[in-house]
Amino acid sequence: MDVGAWRHVFKLDPNKPLSDAALEAVCESGTDAIVIGGTDGVTFDNTVELLARVRRYAVPCVQEISSLEAVAPGFDGYLVPLVLNARDPDWLLRPHVEAIRRLGRLIRWDELVVEGYIVLNPEAKVARLTQSDTALDAEMAAAYATLAERLLSLPVVYLEYSGTRGDVALVRRVRRALERARLFYGGGVDDPEVAREMARVADTVVVGNAVYTNLRGALATVAAVKETPVNAADA
Amino acid sequence: MDVGAWRHVFKLDPNKPLSDAALEAVCESGTDAIVIGGTDGVTFDNTVELLARVRRYAVPCVQEISSLEAVAPGFDGYLVPLVLNARDPDWLLRPHVEAIRRLGRLIRWDELVVEGYIVLNPEAKVARLTQSDTALDAEMAAAYATLAERLLSLPVVYLEYSGTRGDVALVRRVRRALERARLFYGGGVDDPEVAREMARVADTVVVGNAVYTNLRGALATVAAVKETPVNAADA
């Protein structure tokens, strides 16, 4: 799993139906990877089922772990979210500690990539679940990103606007704060225009919901992202 | 600041009086470093004053940062505690984010070492301040340590029993869980016997309170630690 090479990824939710034709279009779109994960209703069974369907195609497929019960073998790698701005202490490090306690030596550390999430849409399920402090201005978001990169050595910072479009100026500010970590952006990317806007300020653009609500728009984001160079300098 | 070479350190509290003779004995004891820091009453002024006094001697001197206001220039390095088992979200990552926001580009990252604290004495000030979940068995403590080492890439795990003697079996279990991070042990080390016991299971033994309550015993811990090899295999 080489997240450093990902410019565009699709995130598929095992709890949402997707036709074979839609899945084929997504997997053959030229995206760099398929991420399987979601906030609720994700189980071992629906995860494995979706993985099996994606495996018909050559695209890399990784799991983003949201609950230990759903962790399935056979992915090309595993993303481990750490919600940096969670206010509920049961969500900040505790699930990770419990998972380590339970799995122990079974964990293959070199297959894991930790993502430092900064959750920014207060209406998103993940924000409510973790009681995230989403009222961050660009400077605070950049400080969280620097913490992730410098104090915690996380390889990925993930700006999560799931369900809404992000503040481009904030994303740009965060990108400029980072020197080593890769910046993932997710939220509201459902057409080529938004995709280009976010591709300019983020290293990796994640397209999720649009697969289910606007497949044509979602598919068009692949080329839009790939033809856009990152340029996070001030406008 | 090469914490990897520290076998024994003294931790001095700028808020506690220490005679010149006692300070000289501590600094000339053969300890590997002097750490300046404390939980309360630590100010810029008393920190700088103590640093100036320690600087008469050749021993390395680092600051353990407990409040941004007390951060002083001129140390050989800075230790940044991160209380992994804090339950108060204002203590887990928030102070670090606020500090990054305020200091920004002034921070010299290569002078910092992040310590993953696991606070284990419920009566200690730091435990109450951070609402630490101190009721951890050896397996949970080891899981926290693995989280620190593997997910957060922290160079130091610090078992903090301040005010009491630690559970040797728990310390040993944590030490065995670590492959790269250095294990600091602090708490109740006030004579050579305890020092040897902890030196067997921890990489670095921190002696703090004893300097103020039992100087002779504290000074005798240096040789005791240095003559003891680490051997965390099961007894």
Side-chain angles (χ1 to χ4, degrees), chain B residues 21-208:
Chain B
L23 187 75
E24 175 166 4
V26 164
C27 291
E28 301 277 49
S29 65
T31 189
D32 297 307
I34 304 292
V35 176
I36 291 183
T39 303
D40 50 17
V42 177
T43 66
F44 181 86
D45 287 346
N46 63 23
T47 297
V48 166
E49 190 189 331
L50 184 53
L51 171 62
R53 293 176 66 204
V54 172
R55 279 297 188 222
R56 291 181 215 153
Y57 307 96
V59 65
C61 187
V62 308
Q63 183 174 21
E64 187 173 58
I65 300 174
S66 56
S67 89
L68 200 52
E69 285 66 32
V71 176
F75 281 92
D76 296 311
Y78 298 85
L79 301 172
V80 178
L82 187 67
V83 180
L84 300 170
N85 60 331
R87 297 285 301 166
D88 180 345
D90 281 339
W91 277 102
L92 196 31
L93 296 177
R94 195 72 186 196
H96 310 79
V97 173
E98 300 278 2
I100 292 169
R101 182 180 184 152
R102 283 174 57 185
L103 296 180
R105 285 158 198 269
L106 295 175
I107 299 173
R108 295 194 198 155
W109 298 101
D110 57 352
E111 294 184 344
L112 302 186
V113 167
V114 184
E115 306 164 305
Y117 261 69
I118 305 171
V119 175
L120 290 163
N121 175 13
E123 304 303 322
K125 279 178 198 158
V126 62
R128 282 179 287 186
L129 192 67
T130 62
Q131 295 176 30
S132 291
D133 174 18
T134 58
L136 305 179
D137 63 15
E139 289 307 309
M140 274 301 273
Y144 268 105
T146 297
L147 173 134
E149 177 181 84
R150 295 290 192 165
L151 295 189
L152 309 182
S153 307
L154 303 189
V156 170
V157 171
Y158 193 132
L159 290 177
E160 171 61 288
Y161 276 99
S162 180
T164 187
R165 282 184 194 173
D167 173 346
V168 175
L170 183 149
V171 180
R172 180 186 294 116
R173 174 69 188 87
V174 170
R175 176 61 167 72
R176 289 173 57 204
L178 296 174
E179 289 180 23
R180 312 173 210 184
R182 198 162 176 89
L183 182 61
F184 282 30
Y185 170 83
V189 182
D190 58 3
D191 70 31
E193 195 186 341
V194 186
R196 269 188 289 268
E197 195 170 40
M198 294 308 177
R200 237 170 260 130
V201 288
D203 299 300
T204 302
V205 176
V206 182
V207 180

Side-chain angles (χ1 to χ4, degrees), chain A residues 17-126:
Chain A
L18 193 63
S19 72
D20 283 344
L23 187 76
E24 174 164 6
V26 164
C27 291
E28 300 279 49
S29 65
T31 189
D32 298 307
I34 305 292
V35 176
I36 293 185
T39 303
D40 51 18
V42 178
T43 65
F44 181 86
D45 287 347
N46 62 23
T47 296
V48 167
E49 188 190 333
L50 185 52
L51 171 62
R53 293 175 66 203
V54 172
R55 281 294 188 224
R56 292 179 217 155
Y57 308 96
V59 66
C61 188
V62 307
Q63 182 174 21
E64 187 174 57
I65 300 173
S66 57
S67 87
L68 199 51
E69 285 66 32
V71 175
F75 282 93
D76 296 311
Y78 298 85
L79 301 172
V80 178
L82 186 67
V83 181
L84 300 171
N85 60 332
R87 296 285 299 165
D88 180 345
D90 280 340
W91 278 100
L92 197 32
L93 297 177
R94 195 73 186 194
H96 310 79
V97 173
E98 300 278 2
I100 291 168
R101 181 179 184 153
R102 283 174 56 184
L103 296 181
R105 284 156 199 271
L106 295 175
I107 300 172
R108 295 194 198 155
W109 298 101
D110 58 350
E111 292 184 344
L112 302 187
V113 168
V114 184
E115 307 166 304
Y117 261 68
I118 305 172
V119 175
L120 289 163
N121 175 11
E123 304 304 322
K125 277 179 201 159
V126 61

